[in-house]
Amino acid sequence: WRAVQAFKAGLAPIVVALMVATAWILSAGTPGWRHIVLTLAAAVLVWCTRVHLLVLIAIGALLGALGYESFWDQVRRAA
């Protein structure tokens, strides 16, 4: 079992780097700063609590389906 533990320990930094790279690529085409704050908040929430990442993804999908972005566009236009 030591080989499996060593494999998992060695794979953890690679997984984290791939997740950071994916977040970077997805957020590079998004204007503004809100996506950076949301990404960091989600990362801290997953890291510091026992909230599963898929729960946060589902919440984001629900907010997107309900028009969260269009709400902020309306706020921006009103200002």
Side-chain angles (χ1 to χ4, degrees), residues 26-58:
L26 290 175
S27 67
T30 307
W33 53 270
R34 287 184 311 223
H35 64 283
I36 296 171
V37 173
L38 288 174
T39 302
L40 291 175
V44 168
L45 192 62
V46 168
W47 191 4
C48 295
T49 66
R50 298 195 52 89
V51 176
H52 198 278
L53 182 60
L54 291 178
V55 172
L56 295 178
I57 292 172

